[in-house]
Amino acid sequence: MKNIYTIIIILVVGGLGFFVAYPQYQRKAALDSEIEFLKTSLESNKKYSNELSSLKEKIEAKEEMQKINIALPIEEPISEVFRFLEKQAENNGVAISDIGFVVQEPDILPSEGQFSTQPQGTTSGEVVFSEPNFNEITAVQTQDILSRKASRNFKLETIKITFRTKGSYQAIKNFIVSLEKSVRLIKFASIEIEGGKKDEKEGKSDLLEASISAKVFNYKIIKK
Amino acid sequence: MAIEFIPKKEQTFPVEKLTFFVSLAILLVVIIFSVFLYISNQEKENTKIEIGNQIIQLQSQKIDELESQVLFRKIQLEKAKELLANHKFPSKIFDFLESTLNKGIKVSKLGIVFDEKTATATIGAGTADFKNISLQEINFKKQENLDNFLISEIKQDTTGNNIIFSSMIKFKEEFLGFKEE
């Protein structure tokens, strides 16, 4: 009688082993391998993330980057541009009026032009960017980032501003010099100066009026 | 004397018994092993999902954001370089006119239009003498920074005392670039 039980038990053991234990064992081996791979991947992602964080901090700490943030600001309200113009006008003794602006679509500029030339003997506050060291990005696979992030939108808004100034020739000239040398990038489109009109109150005849049209730039980040 | 027949108790073969218990033990081991593997695999599945979620979270939030910021800085820098390479210094035109215009010529109107590479200045001016205009033309011709120039609309003003004229000056591409002081 026991022989029959033994045979049944052996059959059940065989069935369990073949249909349950072995597949579970195989699954365990596969899971171990998958988990190992995922852990390695997680570690490498964490390392990459830390590298990116430190790179970002390094880049943002650079003096050049701070100037660039002023030259091409991010999400800067237009009122800041007006404030900047008014401050420059005040500093140079000209009156500013009739300010207008139009926000244009991204401005495509020629990409020729090398950034090798630097102004000589520049003074503080001028637009001077030394060649920045972006080689560090190579360490975190710039090309890889570029290809994966190519579709991300960074919209550079061009804001066309027009305004009038009134002052002496020297004051207007100084005002223009201060704008062209300012860290905030201003691209002149046109300047028209008319002179010789008498100032009725003071009787002066050396006051000139200038109409200036220029462009400033502002980044808009569009997250998908 | 009757012979009492006492049936002998059947003796179980020990090997059979041993085989039964051994197979029973193996069955138990296989069942326990299977249950253990099943529970262990369930835990591993959970761990796998958890690590996978961590990777997705890290990738989709932190890394994407950081990559985008680093890339943005690079794009921002390249754009700044591009704009700076094309940056114009209009004051050079003022300096040029101050040094080039003859003293006898009085500018009443100045217009400067910038394009991507250079600028064109239009001047409305007056003088007391035709000679000054002629000298001015000679002076313009000497200038290396001019691409071309034109003096036109030479006529007497309404008072008849002055000669007025217009001039258009186109500067060379390199002239308005970085200032060398």
Side-chain angles (χ1 to χ4, degrees):
Chain A
M1 191 61 186
K2 279 213 166 112
N3 275 342
I4 296 167
Y5 290 141
T6 306
I7 290 165
I8 292 168
I9 288 169
I10 287 168
L11 286 174
V12 170
V13 166
L16 269 178
F18 188 75
F19 292 108
V20 181
Y22 184 62
Q24 286 294 336
Y25 179 75
Q26 279 185 320
R27 180 81 193 119
K28 180 189 173 291
L31 280 171
D32 282 343
S33 156
E34 280 175 35
I35 288 170
E36 194 54 41
F37 173 76
L38 285 173
K39 277 183 180 170
T40 315
S41 180
L42 181 64
E43 279 310 306
S44 110
N45 271 313
K46 278 183 182 169
K47 195 181 165 194
Y48 179 54
S49 163
N50 290 339
E51 275 182 51
L52 279 173
S53 288
S54 96
L55 176 63
K56 183 181 158 252
E57 279 167 21
K58 272 187 201 171
I59 292 169
E60 284 178 355
K62 281 180 189 290
E63 200 186 334
E64 293 85 16
M65 215 60 233
Q66 286 160 11
K67 280 185 182 175
I68 287 168
N69 276 336
I70 299 171
L72 297 174
I74 307 158
E75 305 278 354
E76 188 191 62
I78 189 74
S79 57
E80 286 300 314
V81 178
F82 299 155
R83 203 168 295 158
F84 166 76
L85 288 174
E86 278 170 358
K87 195 181 169 192
Q88 295 298 325
E90 196 184 317
N91 289 346
N92 291 288
V94 295
I96 190 165
S97 63
D98 302 337
I99 305 174
F101 75 96
V102 181
V103 179
Q104 294 178 323
E105 281 303 300
D107 189 28
I108 309 299
L109 292 165
S111 58
E112 297 122 42
Q114 291 295 311
F115 184 67
S116 54
T117 322
Q118 272 197 29
Q120 301 290 313
T122 48
T123 58
S124 151
E126 291 180 17
V127 186
V128 184
F129 301 121
S130 62
E131 192 60 62
N133 184 11
F134 252 95
N135 294 335
E136 291 167 72
I137 295 180
T138 317
V140 284
Q141 302 157 321
T142 315
Q143 286 311 312
D144 189 33
I145 296 175
L146 286 171
S147 59
R148 277 192 282 143
K149 300 288 169 187
S151 59
R152 198 173 277 263
N153 281 341
F154 298 96
K155 187 182 166 193
L156 181 68
E157 267 184 358
T158 302
I159 303 159
K160 190 178 176 188
I161 46 172
T162 53
F163 55 93
R164 293 181 71 81
T165 58
K166 195 173 182 182
S168 67
Y169 168 76
Q170 199 54 48
I172 289 175
K173 187 186 166 188
N174 289 343
F175 174 61
I176 289 168
V177 170
S178 75
L179 294 185
E180 72 183 16
K181 283 185 174 179
S182 71
V183 179
R184 182 73 166 91
L185 270 180
I186 293 182
K187 194 175 179 215
F188 285 92
S190 68
I191 300 169
E192 271 184 45
I193 302 176
E194 278 185 276
K197 290 176 184 172
K198 285 201 174 186
D199 188 302
E200 288 174 5
K201 285 180 186 172
E202 295 179 30
K204 287 179 184 172
S205 61
D206 61 345
L207 282 183
L208 305 178
E209 273 194 42
S211 296
I212 298 174
S213 169
K215 288 174 185 174
V216 291
F217 306 92
N218 179 39
Y219 266 109
K220 290 269 179 198
I221 302 171
I222 300 161
K223 286 182 180 173
K224 284 190 171 177
Chain B
M1 185 177 168
I3 300 169
E4 198 179 344
F5 179 76
I6 303 168
K8 266 189 174 177
K9 198 181 174 183
E10 203 180 321
Q11 290 288 315
T12 311
F13 188 64
V15 174
E16 199 177 291
K17 213 176 181 177
L18 188 69
T19 314
F20 174 76
F21 282 114
V22 167
S23 57
L24 198 65
I26 291 171
L27 176 67
L28 284 173
V29 167
V30 169
I31 289 170
I32 291 166
F33 185 60
S34 297
V35 170
F36 167 75
L37 280 177
Y38 178 77
I39 293 167
S40 161
N41 284 350
Q42 286 301 311
E43 280 175 13
K44 282 181 195 297
E45 286 282 359
N46 290 340
T47 312
K48 186 186 137 185
I49 291 166
E50 200 181 310
I51 297 173
N53 285 341
Q54 279 181 35
I55 292 173
I56 291 166
Q57 206 175 0
L58 193 67
Q59 184 70 46
S60 67
Q61 291 178 6
K62 203 173 174 189
I63 293 180
D64 272 17
E65 188 61 33
L66 283 168
E67 281 180 346
S68 130
Q69 285 171 3
V70 170
L71 176 62
F72 170 69
R73 294 297 179 203
K74 189 171 166 60
I75 290 172
Q76 194 187 20
L77 174 73
E78 280 169 4
K79 195 71 194 175
K81 279 157 66 176
E82 192 181 291
L83 287 168
L84 204 57
N86 292 289
H87 193 64
K88 307 282 188 306
F89 290 85
S91 61
K92 281 189 167 185
I93 295 175
F94 293 92
D95 293 338
F96 173 86
L97 294 174
E98 282 170 27
S99 63
T100 315
L101 288 176
N102 287 342
K103 286 187 178 172
I105 289 174
K106 193 182 174 190
V107 176
S108 58
K109 194 175 178 180
L110 170 66
I112 307 166
V113 177
F114 299 88
D115 57 35
E116 282 304 334
K117 292 180 176 175
T118 184
T120 306
T122 49
I123 299 165
T127 181
D129 199 339
F130 275 110
K131 192 182 167 189
N132 281 333
I133 299 173
S134 166
L135 288 172
Q136 188 57 58
E137 188 186 1
I138 294 165
N139 210 355
F140 278 154
K141 277 181 183 169
K142 286 181 195 166
Q143 300 305 315
E144 290 177 353
N145 291 320
L146 295 189
D147 190 32
N148 59 58
F149 72 92
L150 174 75
I151 295 177
S152 60
E153 297 174 55
I154 304 169
K155 58 188 175 191
Q156 282 193 320
D157 70 359
T158 47
T159 63
N161 298 325
N162 280 320
I163 300 150
I164 55 171
F165 67 94
S166 295
S167 180
M168 191 204 74
I169 305 164
K170 190 173 181 184
F171 295 92
K172 283 188 176 169
E173 285 181 19
E174 60 272 18
F175 176 62
L176 292 171
F178 278 112
K179 259 191 161 176
E180 287 176 19
E181 290 172 347

